[in-house]
Amino acid sequence: MSGAPLPSSFDKDREFYEENRWQKFSRRLREEPLIPLGCALTCYALLGATRSIRAGNHVQTNRMFRARIYAQGFTLLALVAGSMYYKTDRDKRKEFEGVVAENKAKQKNEAWIRELEARDREDKEWKLRRDAARAVAASGEGVGSARKAMETSERKGEGGILDAVRDLVQGRH
């Protein structure tokens, strides 16, 4: 017998795995409707026991407490049976969530590397501009020519990260 898990009807359904809290709650109610039923029966039995205690009816109180025990046993049985029945699907869900988290971490890492590369390019451009301005200043052509060289080198560049962000914010990109 193979150790591979049995195929599930949820394997190809991405919406089954990516859901919000309300979707998860409603799905769990559909999967295991006996658990909320058992909880409701337990609450009903406790409410009945409370009313019969206040009324002073000891026979009805004992019946309602027995009904509470039976309802709790039913709920516990439904929990155990449901967990055994849906174990493979839950394992697949955990595996899928792990893969999704891994992919998100990988994308975040790649975005960080791209940002570092952009910062490195910008830093190199600034160093080139600074060196060009120093070379012009060292040649003795004066402050005006150094400023002119700096402005020319700034116009040649594509702009830095701040320019790109400014363009995005202003909608020019």
PDB file of all heavy atoms in Angstrom, residues 54-69:
ATOM      1  N   ARG A  54     -35.640  27.120  39.571  1.00  0.00           N
ATOM      2  CA  ARG A  54     -36.374  28.285  40.080  1.00  0.00           C
ATOM      3  C   ARG A  54     -37.834  27.939  40.387  1.00  0.00           C
ATOM      4  O   ARG A  54     -38.430  28.508  41.305  1.00  0.00           O
ATOM      5  CB  ARG A  54     -36.316  29.420  39.061  1.00  0.00           C
ATOM      6  CG  ARG A  54     -34.970  30.058  39.013  1.00  0.00           C
ATOM      7  CD  ARG A  54     -34.973  31.265  38.150  1.00  0.00           C
ATOM      8  NE  ARG A  54     -33.624  31.817  38.083  1.00  0.00           N
ATOM      9  CZ  ARG A  54     -33.321  32.936  37.505  1.00  0.00           C
ATOM     10  NH1 ARG A  54     -34.263  33.643  36.920  1.00  0.00           N
ATOM     11  NH2 ARG A  54     -32.088  33.372  37.491  1.00  0.00           N
ATOM     12  N   ALA A  55     -38.391  27.015  39.596  1.00  0.00           N
ATOM     13  CA  ALA A  55     -39.786  26.616  39.843  1.00  0.00           C
ATOM     14  C   ALA A  55     -39.890  25.646  41.016  1.00  0.00           C
ATOM     15  O   ALA A  55     -40.993  25.398  41.528  1.00  0.00           O
ATOM     16  CB  ALA A  55     -40.375  25.982  38.584  1.00  0.00           C
ATOM     17  N   GLY A  56     -38.764  25.045  41.402  1.00  0.00           N
ATOM     18  CA  GLY A  56     -38.776  24.107  42.517  1.00  0.00           C
ATOM     19  C   GLY A  56     -39.158  22.698  42.105  1.00  0.00           C
ATOM     20  O   GLY A  56     -39.475  21.856  42.942  1.00  0.00           O
ATOM     21  N   ASN A  57     -39.116  22.376  40.822  1.00  0.00           N
ATOM     22  CA  ASN A  57     -39.481  21.053  40.303  1.00  0.00           C
ATOM     23  C   ASN A  57     -38.211  20.193  40.246  1.00  0.00           C
ATOM     24  O   ASN A  57     -37.447  20.243  39.287  1.00  0.00           O
ATOM     25  CB  ASN A  57     -40.117  21.194  38.924  1.00  0.00           C
ATOM     26  CG  ASN A  57     -40.676  19.899  38.406  1.00  0.00           C
ATOM     27  OD1 ASN A  57     -40.460  18.835  38.985  1.00  0.00           O
ATOM     28  ND2 ASN A  57     -41.415  19.993  37.317  1.00  0.00           N
ATOM     29  N   HIS A  58     -37.986  19.376  41.276  1.00  0.00           N
ATOM     30  CA  HIS A  58     -36.760  18.583  41.370  1.00  0.00           C
ATOM     31  C   HIS A  58     -36.712  17.465  40.341  1.00  0.00           C
ATOM     32  O   HIS A  58     -35.623  17.125  39.859  1.00  0.00           O
ATOM     33  CB  HIS A  58     -36.614  18.012  42.788  1.00  0.00           C
ATOM     34  CG  HIS A  58     -36.506  19.067  43.837  1.00  0.00           C
ATOM     35  ND1 HIS A  58     -35.418  19.894  43.944  1.00  0.00           N
ATOM     36  CD2 HIS A  58     -37.371  19.452  44.832  1.00  0.00           C
ATOM     37  CE1 HIS A  58     -35.600  20.739  44.954  1.00  0.00           C
ATOM     38  NE2 HIS A  58     -36.777  20.487  45.510  1.00  0.00           N
ATOM     39  N   VAL A  59     -37.816  16.896  40.000  1.00  0.00           N
ATOM     40  CA  VAL A  59     -37.850  15.808  39.014  1.00  0.00           C
ATOM     41  C   VAL A  59     -37.425  16.344  37.642  1.00  0.00           C
ATOM     42  O   VAL A  59     -36.590  15.752  36.953  1.00  0.00           O
ATOM     43  CB  VAL A  59     -39.255  15.159  38.963  1.00  0.00           C
ATOM     44  CG1 VAL A  59     -39.335  14.129  37.853  1.00  0.00           C
ATOM     45  CG2 VAL A  59     -39.600  14.535  40.301  1.00  0.00           C
ATOM     46  N   GLN A  60     -38.014  17.475  37.263  1.00  0.00           N
ATOM     47  CA  GLN A  60     -37.659  18.075  35.968  1.00  0.00           C
ATOM     48  C   GLN A  60     -36.198  18.534  35.965  1.00  0.00           C
ATOM     49  O   GLN A  60     -35.513  18.418  34.950  1.00  0.00           O
ATOM     50  CB  GLN A  60     -38.589  19.262  35.664  1.00  0.00           C
ATOM     51  CG  GLN A  60     -38.359  19.921  34.322  1.00  0.00           C
ATOM     52  CD  GLN A  60     -38.685  19.002  33.148  1.00  0.00           C
ATOM     53  OE1 GLN A  60     -39.421  18.019  33.256  1.00  0.00           O
ATOM     54  NE2 GLN A  60     -38.104  19.325  32.005  1.00  0.00           N
ATOM     55  N   THR A  61     -35.708  19.032  37.101  1.00  0.00           N
ATOM     56  CA  THR A  61     -34.301  19.452  37.200  1.00  0.00           C
ATOM     57  C   THR A  61     -33.379  18.274  36.929  1.00  0.00           C
ATOM     58  O   THR A  61     -32.414  18.385  36.157  1.00  0.00           O
ATOM     59  CB  THR A  61     -34.014  20.044  38.600  1.00  0.00           C
ATOM     60  OG1 THR A  61     -34.881  21.154  38.814  1.00  0.00           O
ATOM     61  CG2 THR A  61     -32.573  20.480  38.727  1.00  0.00           C
ATOM     62  N   ASN A  62     -33.638  17.129  37.542  1.00  0.00           N
ATOM     63  CA  ASN A  62     -32.809  15.941  37.333  1.00  0.00           C
ATOM     64  C   ASN A  62     -32.871  15.478  35.880  1.00  0.00           C
ATOM     65  O   ASN A  62     -31.857  15.081  35.299  1.00  0.00           O
ATOM     66  CB  ASN A  62     -33.225  14.809  38.268  1.00  0.00           C
ATOM     67  CG  ASN A  62     -32.727  15.052  39.682  1.00  0.00           C
ATOM     68  OD1 ASN A  62     -31.720  15.717  39.865  1.00  0.00           O
ATOM     69  ND2 ASN A  62     -33.450  14.532  40.670  1.00  0.00           N
ATOM     70  N   ARG A  63     -34.053  15.524  35.276  1.00  0.00           N
ATOM     71  CA  ARG A  63     -34.178  15.143  33.862  1.00  0.00           C
ATOM     72  C   ARG A  63     -33.345  16.064  32.971  1.00  0.00           C
ATOM     73  O   ARG A  63     -32.693  15.614  32.029  1.00  0.00           O
ATOM     74  CB  ARG A  63     -35.639  15.199  33.426  1.00  0.00           C
ATOM     75  CG  ARG A  63     -36.453  14.059  33.889  1.00  0.00           C
ATOM     76  CD  ARG A  63     -37.838  14.140  33.301  1.00  0.00           C
ATOM     77  NE  ARG A  63     -38.702  13.157  33.927  1.00  0.00           N
ATOM     78  CZ  ARG A  63     -40.001  13.259  34.023  1.00  0.00           C
ATOM     79  NH1 ARG A  63     -40.619  14.317  33.516  1.00  0.00           N
ATOM     80  NH2 ARG A  63     -40.700  12.317  34.610  1.00  0.00           N
ATOM     81  N   MET A  64     -33.409  17.351  33.251  1.00  0.00           N
ATOM     82  CA  MET A  64     -32.677  18.309  32.407  1.00  0.00           C
ATOM     83  C   MET A  64     -31.157  18.154  32.588  1.00  0.00           C
ATOM     84  O   MET A  64     -30.400  18.301  31.628  1.00  0.00           O
ATOM     85  CB  MET A  64     -33.119  19.745  32.720  1.00  0.00           C
ATOM     86  CG  MET A  64     -34.561  20.036  32.328  1.00  0.00           C
ATOM     87  SD  MET A  64     -34.973  19.541  30.634  1.00  0.00           S
ATOM     88  CE  MET A  64     -34.224  20.826  29.722  1.00  0.00           C
ATOM     89  N   PHE A  65     -30.713  17.855  33.813  1.00  0.00           N
ATOM     90  CA  PHE A  65     -29.282  17.624  34.012  1.00  0.00           C
ATOM     91  C   PHE A  65     -28.824  16.352  33.297  1.00  0.00           C
ATOM     92  O   PHE A  65     -27.719  16.302  32.747  1.00  0.00           O
ATOM     93  CB  PHE A  65     -28.915  17.586  35.494  1.00  0.00           C
ATOM     94  CG  PHE A  65     -28.756  18.954  36.102  1.00  0.00           C
ATOM     95  CD1 PHE A  65     -29.358  19.260  37.308  1.00  0.00           C
ATOM     96  CD2 PHE A  65     -28.006  19.935  35.476  1.00  0.00           C
ATOM     97  CE1 PHE A  65     -29.217  20.516  37.880  1.00  0.00           C
ATOM     98  CE2 PHE A  65     -27.858  21.186  36.032  1.00  0.00           C
ATOM     99  CZ  PHE A  65     -28.468  21.489  37.229  1.00  0.00           C
ATOM    100  N   ARG A  66     -29.664  15.322  33.297  1.00  0.00           N
ATOM    101  CA  ARG A  66     -29.334  14.107  32.523  1.00  0.00           C
ATOM    102  C   ARG A  66     -29.302  14.427  31.035  1.00  0.00           C
ATOM    103  O   ARG A  66     -28.423  13.940  30.308  1.00  0.00           O
ATOM    104  CB  ARG A  66     -30.352  13.006  32.810  1.00  0.00           C
ATOM    105  CG  ARG A  66     -30.126  12.329  34.120  1.00  0.00           C
ATOM    106  CD  ARG A  66     -31.011  11.107  34.278  1.00  0.00           C
ATOM    107  NE  ARG A  66     -31.304  10.953  35.681  1.00  0.00           N
ATOM    108  CZ  ARG A  66     -32.511  10.980  36.215  1.00  0.00           C
ATOM    109  NH1 ARG A  66     -33.569  11.117  35.464  1.00  0.00           N
ATOM    110  NH2 ARG A  66     -32.664  10.838  37.510  1.00  0.00           N
ATOM    111  N   ALA A  67     -30.263  15.235  30.596  1.00  0.00           N
ATOM    112  CA  ALA A  67     -30.292  15.634  29.174  1.00  0.00           C
ATOM    113  C   ALA A  67     -29.023  16.427  28.825  1.00  0.00           C
ATOM    114  O   ALA A  67     -28.469  16.279  27.731  1.00  0.00           O
ATOM    115  CB  ALA A  67     -31.536  16.461  28.873  1.00  0.00           C
ATOM    116  N   ARG A  68     -28.557  17.252  29.754  1.00  0.00           N
ATOM    117  CA  ARG A  68     -27.311  18.004  29.523  1.00  0.00           C
ATOM    118  C   ARG A  68     -26.136  17.057  29.354  1.00  0.00           C
ATOM    119  O   ARG A  68     -25.309  17.227  28.456  1.00  0.00           O
ATOM    120  CB  ARG A  68     -27.043  18.945  30.695  1.00  0.00           C
ATOM    121  CG  ARG A  68     -25.722  19.709  30.536  1.00  0.00           C
ATOM    122  CD  ARG A  68     -25.323  20.411  31.813  1.00  0.00           C
ATOM    123  NE  ARG A  68     -25.191  19.532  32.963  1.00  0.00           N
ATOM    124  CZ  ARG A  68     -24.076  18.879  33.305  1.00  0.00           C
ATOM    125  NH1 ARG A  68     -22.993  19.001  32.556  1.00  0.00           N
ATOM    126  NH2 ARG A  68     -24.045  18.116  34.364  1.00  0.00           N
ATOM    127  N   ILE A  69     -26.069  16.039  30.181  1.00  0.00           N
ATOM    128  CA  ILE A  69     -24.967  15.065  30.081  1.00  0.00           C
ATOM    129  C   ILE A  69     -25.030  14.338  28.745  1.00  0.00           C
ATOM    130  O   ILE A  69     -24.002  14.158  28.068  1.00  0.00           O
ATOM    131  CB  ILE A  69     -25.001  14.082  31.267  1.00  0.00           C
ATOM    132  CG1 ILE A  69     -24.657  14.824  32.558  1.00  0.00           C
ATOM    133  CG2 ILE A  69     -24.053  12.917  31.043  1.00  0.00           C
ATOM    134  CD1 ILE A  69     -24.870  14.014  33.809  1.00  0.00           C
TER     135      ILE A  69
END
